[in-house]
Amino acid sequence: MTGKIEQTVGLLLRHVLLVMLLVAFLVAVFAQSAFAADARTGASNEALNDDIVVIVSSLNTVKALTRVRVEDIFLGRMQQFPNGQRAVPIDQAEGSAVRGRFNKGVLGHTSVQVRIHWSRILFTGRGRPPRSVASNEDMLQAVAADVHAIGYIERRFVNDSVAVVFE
Amino acid sequence: MYNRPAVGFFLCCLILSAAAHAQPENGLWSFNGYGTLGAAHSSERRADYIPNLFNSEGPGRSYCWDPLLDSRAAVQMSVKPSDKLHGVVQVVVEKRFDGKFKPRVEWANLQYTLSPAFSVRAGRIALGTYMASDYRKVGYSLPWLRPPVEVYQLLPITNSDGVDFIYQRDLGNSIYSVTAHYGSNKMEEFVGLLEATNIWGFMTNLERGPLTLHASYASAKLTYGPRFQDMWNGFSAFGPTGVAVARRYDATGKWSPFVAAGIGYDPGDWFVMAEWGKGDVGSDFDNRSGWYISGGYRIGAVRPYLTFARAAGGHRSVTGLNAADFPAALAPVVSSLNSGLLEMQQSYAARQQTVSLGASWNVLPSVIAKLQIDRIKTRKESIGTFNNMAPGYRPRGADVVSLTIDFVF
């Protein structure tokens, strides 16, 4: 009797899952068109903005970093500056044009590839993606205030509270 | 108790992933999850295609379209009370060997960073035997729909209850790390309950920009379930010749060494990856090995890929008892013991090759859809990764079509 019920429920579950997969694909197709449209707008904004620079607090003794080192820190491979001091990367908001351009221009990957990279680290319990701030102004403040912090902003936002370590 | 929680869990994960946008890690606690919704179909309807030792059924004879081969959902909680301490618990729901969906703790450990170079973990930890083995269940993270079975099935253990030590060194333009681990594991697979009472080994990794080199060694002392024990007892009942057969094949308490190496290159718009692995159970079942090479190229949001994989090893026949040496009345028993032994030999080493053509498509930042077509051919009288055959039938291969939607939140 119980076996019969389990069998019926099992059959039902299979059908529910198959229907869910179908629905998910349909939803995905619609969502994709919106996402692609967004991505195009992002790309057209790119030409209007000035370039992106990597910054640390002016209190930090690090004066310059290589691209490989910036990559290592932002992809979680390295948790320290070359001088041995702890490095804490900070990202701009998910989906922002600045973050997209930093990912592509400095890290050499699309935002989705960076996300896939972090999902590998996250779901194996080895670490977490960097925290993020909402804007260039917030980034400036967060980096200036913390000797361990490293972030990136559009060049026109740079002031004395931070030092440019990669451009 | 059986199915409703599973459906609920899948739905919850889907809703959560839709609702919760990427959450930046600002706090002490973080809550994340991943999952896959999939369906697979095999052209071979007289046997099941089972690319995972933890499944007892698959597409083919049991199901025309099997939604449970690749579907799973997981949630993860992590806590970081200080810069040095990090705790993580991950629970996975997927179809288990017994057909049920009881959630299982995939990992639960505490990591303590002693210095930038040294860290130690204790609890249930991920085993990075292969390049992608510690995230093999996270469909979103994988370049393929599922890892090449010819290599990843050789050592299906994903975690170990124990400790590991990680040493990381910065070599200027590259990063080198070595992990040494010790622990134990218990799992249910096609051949019954398998208990690894001792697992030890080390992994080493070198990352230099887009280049990754990986090598690992592991050795486990295995204890097999009652099905095996019954068989050895059966053989031993036939006197010294039977005892000799049991001694030749019984791997209980013997060390099973395993070695793997891999190389990957991923500059962003394309990737190539190749891995090789070889293992042994310390008995006359012989060794088994596998390798694959895979590459892909990104065109916008779509990334097509092609993989060639091959598995070898094991013997084609077994040396059991000779029925002529015993009274005719015992012939059926001898024959059933011998065929049981042959079945073990066959499922131990799956000689087959697979050509997989697939594509992954970034639907949304946190959602990836994949389509994969596998052309599987069994080799050298092996049944490959097929099972649950129709009586007297020997599968030669199949074309398998699979579709998945992977998500993370």
Side-chain angles (χ1 to χ4, degrees), chain B residues 109-262:
Chain B
N109 61 65
L110 272 176
Q111 174 168 348
Y112 186 75
T113 308
L114 298 159
S115 75
F118 277 104
S119 55
V120 55
R121 289 190 298 180
R124 181 164 292 178
I125 50 183
L127 283 186
T129 316
Y130 302 111
M131 293 177 92
S133 58
D134 45 4
Y135 54 84
R136 67 165 80 175
K137 291 189 178 180
V138 191
Y140 179 87
S141 298
L142 289 169
W144 322 281
L145 189 137
R146 68 179 82 87
V149 55
E150 282 79 4
V151 173
Y152 281 72
Q153 191 184 258
L154 296 172
L155 193 78
I157 306 174
T158 54
N159 57 41
S160 152
D161 296 340
V163 287
D164 73 358
F165 299 90
I166 304 160
Y167 171 71
Q168 183 179 301
R169 203 190 140 105
D170 172 20
L171 302 172
N173 51 7
S174 49
I175 294 161
Y176 176 71
S177 73
V178 189
T179 305
H181 62 88
Y182 178 79
S184 66
N185 180 294
K186 203 186 267 191
M187 59 192 173
E188 214 179 333
E189 60 158 25
F190 219 100
V191 287
L193 182 76
L194 188 63
E195 216 176 314
T197 48
N198 290 285
I199 311 170
W200 71 271
F202 57 86
M203 279 91 71
T204 166
N205 215 60
L206 183 82
E207 281 176 279
R208 185 180 179 139
L211 177 73
T212 307
L213 297 172
H214 180 88
S216 72
Y217 175 86
S219 193
K221 198 175 257 189
L222 303 173
T223 307
Y224 297 86
R227 201 184 128 200
F228 275 82
Q229 215 40 61
D230 289 350
M231 175 141 217
W232 309 134
N233 291 341
F235 274 110
S236 300
F238 281 83
T241 34
V243 172
V245 173
R247 196 167 292 158
R248 189 154 61 234
Y249 288 103
D250 185 4
T252 300
K254 289 180 182 157
W255 285 102
S256 306
F258 184 83
V259 58

Side-chain angles (χ1 to χ4, degrees), chain A residues 6 9 13-14 17 20-21 28 32 35 69 77 80 86 94 112-113 119-120 122-124 128 131-132, chain B residues 3 7 24-28 33 63 66 68 76 78 83 90 107 116 134 141 168 170 207 268 362-363:
Chain A
E6 286 209 346
V9 178
L13 173 72
R14 278 170 195 284
L17 280 171
M20 272 165 67
L21 180 68
Q32 161 74 15
F35 171 53
R69 181 56 51 138
R77 294 185 196 129
Q80 70 216 77
R86 194 160 54 83
E94 172 99 31
V112 173
Q113 286 173 314
S119 74
R120 292 175 178 176
L122 177 68
F123 292 117
T124 51
R128 291 182 189 176
R131 73 182 177 99
S132 61
Chain B
N3 281 307
V7 176
E25 312 302 325
N26 293 322
L28 173 67
Y63 305 102
D66 187 357
L68 295 175
Q76 176 172 303
S78 81
D83 295 327
Q90 186 182 111
W107 23 84
D134 45 4
S141 298
Q168 183 179 301
D170 172 20
E207 281 176 279
N362 284 137
V363 182

Side-chain angles (χ1 to χ4, degrees), chain B residues 296-356:
Chain B
Y297 187 79
R298 195 173 63 81
I299 310 161
V302 178
R303 184 161 78 165
Y305 58 88
L306 183 69
T307 307
F308 182 87
R310 187 173 258 201
H315 297 298
R316 293 186 202 196
S317 58
V318 287
T319 316
L321 291 169
N322 188 352
D325 297 344
F326 300 98
L330 290 172
V333 186
V334 171
S335 139
S336 105
L337 281 172
N338 284 347
S339 66
L341 189 63
L342 182 64
E343 202 185 301
M344 271 179 200
Q345 171 74 74
Q346 283 178 333
S347 61
Y348 165 71
R351 293 179 294 275
Q352 73 175 21
Q353 75 174 43
T354 302
V355 179
S356 306

Side-chain angles (χ1 to χ4, degrees), chain A residues 2-3 5-36 66 68-69 71-73 75-86 88-95 99 104 107-133 148, chain B residues 2-4 6-7 10-11 14 21-30 32-34 37-39 57 63 65-68 71 76 78-80 83 86-88 90 95 100-101 107 109 111 116-117 121 126 134-135 138 140-143 168-170 172-175 207 209-210 266-270 298 301 303 361-370 403-405 408-409:
Chain A
T2 343
I5 292 172
E6 286 209 346
Q7 224 173 20
T8 319
V9 178
L11 203 71
L12 206 68
L13 173 72
R14 278 170 195 284
H15 285 108
V16 167
L17 280 171
L18 285 173
V19 169
M20 272 165 67
L21 180 68
L22 206 72
V23 171
F25 259 102
L26 289 175
V27 171
V29 171
F30 284 112
Q32 161 74 15
S33 40
F35 171 53
T66 60
V68 172
R69 181 56 51 138
E71 228 182 281
D72 287 343
I73 292 172
L75 295 179
R77 294 185 196 129
M78 212 68 222
Q79 288 80 37
Q80 70 216 77
F81 290 109
N83 64 9
Q85 210 164 51
R86 194 160 54 83
V88 180
I90 304 176
D91 248 326
Q92 295 253 11
E94 172 99 31
R99 179 153 160 181
K104 195 74 198 136
L107 305 182
H109 295 284
T110 64
S111 294
V112 173
Q113 286 173 314
V114 173
R115 212 182 152 131
I116 289 173
H117 172 84
W118 275 108
S119 74
R120 292 175 178 176
I121 294 173
L122 177 68
F123 292 117
T124 51
R126 282 183 286 142
R128 291 182 189 176
R131 73 182 177 99
S132 61
V133 291
H148 297 293
Chain B
Y2 163 23
N3 281 307
R4 251 184 292 176
V7 176
F10 271 115
L11 284 173
L14 277 179
H21 258 300
Q23 22 176 16
E25 312 302 325
N26 293 322
L28 173 67
W29 293 90
S30 89
N32 302 86
Y34 64 84
L37 255 175
E57 301 170 317
Y63 305 102
W65 279 94
D66 187 357
L68 295 175
S71 299
Q76 176 172 303
S78 81
V79 59
K80 203 168 179 181
D83 295 327
H86 183 200
V88 62
Q90 186 182 111
K95 191 185 176 192
K100 300 199 164 142
F101 294 87
W107 23 84
N109 61 65
Q111 174 168 348
R121 289 190 298 180
D134 45 4
Y135 54 84
V138 191
Y140 179 87
S141 298
L142 289 169
Q168 183 179 301
R169 203 190 140 105
D170 172 20
N173 51 7
S174 49
I175 294 161
E207 281 176 279
D266 185 356
D269 285 341
W270 55 279
R298 195 173 63 81
R303 184 161 78 165
W361 171 41
N362 284 137
V363 182
L364 289 172
S366 55
V367 181
I368 294 179
K370 287 176 186 148
L403 269 168
T404 55
I405 288 186
V408 289
F409 64 88

